[in-house]
Amino acid sequence: MKTMNKLLLILGFAGLMVSCEKDLPFGREGQDIDLKDQADVAVFMVTPSGGDDTPAIYEAIMDAQAAGPGSVVQLCEGEYHLGLMEIRDFYGALMGAGQDKTIITAQTGLDIDPLWASNQLPDLVKFVGGDVHISHLTIQTPPGAVSTGGPGWGHVTCLMSFTTGNAQYELYNDDRTLNAVIDHVSFKGQYLEGGAGFYYYTYNCAYALRTGVDIRSADAGTIPRAKVDIKITNCDFDTFIYGTVIEDLKNSKVVLGEKNNGNVFNNLEQGGGVWESRAMDILVEGNTFNVPELCWGFDYNDYPYYAQLQDDPETTTSLCNIRNNVFNLNTADYAIYFRNQRHFTHPGEKPVAFQVKNNKFNMTDGYPIGIYSQVTKGAVIRNNKFSGYGWVGLYLTLYSQGGLVLGNNFSTAQFDGIALFLDSNTQDWTVVGGNLRESAINLGINNVITGMNMSEMGEPLGRAISDKITHMNHLMH
């Protein structure tokens, strides 16, 4: 091979050059591999050429794929220039020498007409099926337009996408899956023509990464959701419309940060979210969302945006835990937004179990909403801290019902509107503590708002809470 050497590692990693010295953090759950436990690990080295590195990287990935699961493509220190690439059924690792040491930069002048004509989205790197670990590198766009053709916007849809099929490749195969672990990766986009935030037209890459189906349009109700387990830790996202677009999934596990291993979101119209998915297990933890003016933090939203998706029922309770995050809201719209419309429009289907716990909301300029809930049932919002100057701390509206607000701290915040607002369609909420005093408006039905003194309650509050949210007990820990 012209640009790489195959190294066989036995009990150690001593043969790698200094710029590529790293442990191999690869595994289905993202655990580090102990090379002493490995009989052999195939490693395929790539060094930057100064020109188009797409063929060399693709060849290394194909060689690693042929060598068997767990093989590694090692990108050494330097800048690589990459064109459009699709990688199918890769069971291995793509590693760099470190963020801002190994840099992958999208080429300019990318012709996206063939993808557009084949009904696919123009993503820079597509992973279709497999089990892939990506770590210790930066992937970015250069200044200016990067593409030609397609809709003529000069952008690519995302830097990395993770799916199980596309318009040309096993689109209807429900059995395909993908597991992805992304760790210590920097995603960096650019504005177009000096613009600053107006959806597609002022970014040369719309999203940092995304999941879901790779098809622009299809007949109504024909496309299955994908099974993609994805874990994203120690990453940073800068200058995109959306940082992480997790959508069109089913029976999937999503980990967006962990305690002490969170991600950082900057200069994004929306940090991220989970959209149009079913039977999900979601953890959002330890992240810092720096949310700029008129922009948004994190969503969970099952509104039917995509008519082409199959109308899968929600037969399993999806779990959404958002905890130990920091939301810095600079005249932003909101930090967290929930809309669980499916259980309302399809009576009898399982509601999503939301828990928002131990988050910090730092607000400025009297505009932001901290937590915005629509059409939820049994949400638990507890032990969050609000500070600074905002509009509304908790905004509970549009048929949100049966939830618990417990022990939140509003004492260091000033609100232009109100700390807690429950509109006329809310029902059966229990609000305990929070030093609310007169900073609450309750227009709903059978909502209870009380301080920490329980003497006026006709029955023990603990039992009342337990009875109302029994389906949330698995989250109450």
Side-chain angles (χ1 to χ4, degrees):
M1 300 173 61
K2 295 180 179 178
T3 58
M4 62 199 77
N5 296 312
K6 178 179 177 182
L7 301 181
L8 188 63
L9 298 184
I10 301 176
L11 304 179
F13 205 14
L16 291 179
M17 63 178 62
V18 172
S19 65
C20 293
E21 284 182 350
K22 279 196 175 290
D23 293 333
L24 302 182
F26 175 70
R28 183 160 184 83
E29 295 301 323
Q31 71 272 20
D32 289 350
I33 277 182
D34 184 352
L35 292 174
K36 294 179 181 180
D37 295 334
Q38 304 300 307
D40 56 275
V41 177
V43 177
F44 298 84
M45 307 282 293
V46 186
T47 56
S49 67
D52 182 1
D53 296 294
T54 311
I57 293 174
Y58 187 77
E59 184 180 3
I61 290 171
M62 293 301 99
D63 287 345
Q65 186 177 40
S71 299
V72 176
V73 174
Q74 177 75 56
L75 305 182
C76 297
E77 189 169 339
E79 185 173 8
Y80 299 78
H81 298 277
L82 190 65
L84 301 169
M85 179 184 296
E86 180 177 299
I87 302 159
R88 301 178 183 175
D89 300 315
F90 180 50
Y91 290 78
L94 176 65
M95 297 177 54
Q99 290 162 282
D100 296 324
K101 292 183 179 179
T102 296
I103 300 171
I104 298 174
T105 301
Q107 296 183 60
T108 58
L110 299 172
D111 181 8
I112 64 174
D113 269 338
L115 286 173
W116 204 259
S118 64
N119 206 20
Q120 294 175 246
L121 293 169
D123 305 323
L124 185 66
V125 182
K126 300 180 188 223
F127 291 93
V128 183
D131 191 338
V132 59
H133 186 115
I134 303 165
S135 68
H136 298 92
L137 55 84
T138 292
I139 184 167
Q140 64 182 15
T141 54
V146 295
S147 71
T148 62
W153 296 334
H155 75 284
V156 289
T157 301
C158 70
L159 293 178
M160 289 186 179
S161 69
F162 302 89
T163 185
T164 58
N166 60 39
Q168 305 302 311
Y169 183 61
E170 293 195 73
L171 180 60
Y172 300 100
N173 188 343
D174 278 324
D175 295 327
R176 292 179 58 79
T177 64
L178 183 144
N179 180 73
V181 177
I182 302 101
D183 183 57
H184 285 97
V185 176
S186 293
F187 295 84
K188 297 180 180 181
Q190 298 270 357
Y191 294 121
L192 282 170
E193 299 178 357
F198 185 66
Y199 213 54
Y200 285 104
Y201 312 105
T202 55
Y203 297 86
N204 65 9
C205 182
Y207 321 141
L209 66 82
R210 72 175 185 90
T211 68
V213 297
D214 183 25
I215 185 169
R216 291 191 296 108
S217 63
D219 294 334
T222 59
I223 306 301
R225 289 170 173 80
K227 187 182 188 312
V228 177
D229 293 340
I230 187 165
K231 181 178 181 179
I232 306 166
T233 52
N234 300 301
C235 294
D236 55 84
F237 304 86
D238 198 325
T239 314
F240 302 93
I241 303 172
Y242 297 95
T244 57
V245 175
I246 310 297
E247 62 184 5
D248 307 345
L249 302 184
K250 64 180 179 182
N251 303 317
S252 300
K253 183 175 182 179
V254 174
V255 176
L256 184 61
E258 294 176 323
K259 192 172 184 179
N260 302 319
N261 292 292
N263 307 287
V264 179
F265 299 83
N266 288 305
N267 301 313
L268 306 163
E269 294 192 30
Q270 179 146 31
V274 177
W275 291 274
E276 263 284 64
S277 298
R278 303 282 190 272
M280 301 293 292
D281 185 351
I282 302 159
L283 173 66
V284 181
E285 181 172 27
N287 303 289
T288 299
F289 293 86
N290 297 312
V291 189
E293 183 177 6
L294 302 179
C295 294
W296 316 305
F298 183 85
D299 277 9
Y300 181 100
N301 193 343
D302 65 1
Y303 182 84
Y305 290 106
Y306 305 113
Q308 67 265 33
L309 290 174
Q310 292 178 359
D311 189 27
D312 299 316
E314 185 68 279
T315 58
T316 302
T317 299
S318 288
L319 309 179
C320 184
N321 267 292
I322 301 180
R323 65 193 188 206
N324 302 312
N325 302 284
V326 176
F327 294 86
N328 297 314
L329 307 170
N330 183 12
T331 324
D333 270 7
Y334 59 77
I336 300 172
Y337 171 60
F338 298 131
R339 177 162 56 176
N340 181 202
Q341 182 167 313
R342 180 81 192 184
H343 86 91
F344 185 78
T345 57
H346 294 72
E349 291 195 10
K350 300 286 188 180
V352 176
F354 295 105
Q355 179 173 234
V356 185
K357 173 185 174 183
N358 293 339
N359 300 284
K360 294 181 180 179
F361 300 89
N362 302 317
M363 303 174 292
T364 60
D365 298 325
Y367 196 79
I369 296 172
I371 301 169
Y372 190 177
S373 169
Q374 292 188 340
V375 209
T376 62
K377 184 174 183 179
V380 175
I381 302 171
R382 61 175 180 145
N383 302 109
N384 301 285
K385 183 176 181 179
F386 298 80
S387 63
Y389 180 32
W391 183 45
V392 179
L394 303 181
Y395 194 50
L396 311 177
T397 69
L398 195 64
Y399 302 102
S400 293
Q401 59 181 292
L404 171 65
V405 177
L406 175 65
N408 298 281
N409 185 349
F410 301 94
S411 63
T412 57
Q414 179 182 353
F415 296 99
D416 218 18
I418 200 80
L420 170 67
F421 179 82
L422 298 102
D423 81 358
S424 59
N425 292 312
T426 60
Q427 184 174 350
D428 296 327
W429 281 83
T430 299
V431 181
V432 183
N435 299 313
L436 284 167
R437 296 183 294 275
E438 296 179 355
S439 190
I441 295 176
N442 176 19
L443 305 178
I445 301 169
N446 198 34
N447 298 318
V448 175
I449 302 177
T450 180
M452 297 308 294
N453 184 351
M454 310 303 175
S455 61
E456 298 179 2
M457 294 293 294
E459 61 178 325
L461 186 60
R463 184 168 60 217
I465 291 173
S466 178
D467 290 345
K468 290 175 71 171
I469 58 168
T470 54
H471 65 292
M472 295 292 293
N473 288 342
H474 51 286
L475 289 179
M476 298 295 291
H477 61 271

